[in-house]
Amino acid sequence: MAKRTGESPRTALRKASAARLRLLRREDKADSKWLAECHSVLREAAKDRGVTEFEAWLDHSRTPLPLRPTGFDKRQQYCNRCGGRIQLNEQYDARFCGTCRRWTESKCSDPKCQFCTRRPARPVP
Ligand SMILES: [Zn+2]
Ligand SMILES: [Zn+2]
């Protein structure tokens, strides 16, 4: 028997789902932060060596990247909110969950990006 806290089950449930959502948002944030960090490492390396970011990325041994967040790969494939399959929208070059109607990738930092600047708030109407 659970200890009584004087809290209604509904309040407890609401608190639990708010806590879960906070955790998921933190995961999303860590993923975007990691991607941004990787980009800046690659940009620097590319500039130093006079190559493209992609070439710097291919040269793994010379370009150590920060450690990726736990579960990153799984979150690239399955939505961490509903468990649905993540899809790629080729028009905006971004991943999204069709069930939750949300982008799972934040926009990039380039103000002139041909994809991100035109990206709508929601991936599906
Ligand atoms: Zn989802
Ligand atoms: Zn972009």
Side-chain angles (χ1 to χ4, degrees), residues 96-112:
F96 69 98
C97 172
T99 310
C100 299
R101 296 170 65 230
R102 69 181 184 99
W103 298 104
T104 56
E105 270 177 82
S106 47
K107 294 183 181 180
C108 73
S109 56
D110 180 357
K112 283 182 288 192

Side-chain angles (χ1 to χ4, degrees), residues 4-66:
R4 289 190 60 158
T5 56
E7 208 170 57
S8 79
R10 185 181 287 175
T11 309
L13 195 66
R14 205 181 54 229
K15 275 190 187 165
S17 62
R20 189 175 133 76
L21 193 62
R22 264 202 304 279
L23 180 83
L24 297 177
R25 289 215 178 105
R26 214 175 302 147
E27 280 183 353
D28 295 344
K29 236 191 195 149
D31 289 351
S32 324
K33 194 168 154 246
W34 179 74
L35 282 171
E37 279 169 7
C38 288
H39 267 298
S40 87
V41 167
L42 290 173
R43 204 160 42 230
E44 284 302 308
K47 213 166 70 189
D48 282 354
R49 294 174 217 153
V51 296
T52 65
E53 267 189 51
F54 183 65
E55 286 166 330
W57 177 75
L58 288 177
D59 201 357
H60 289 294
S61 55
R62 284 179 70 197
T63 323
L65 294 174

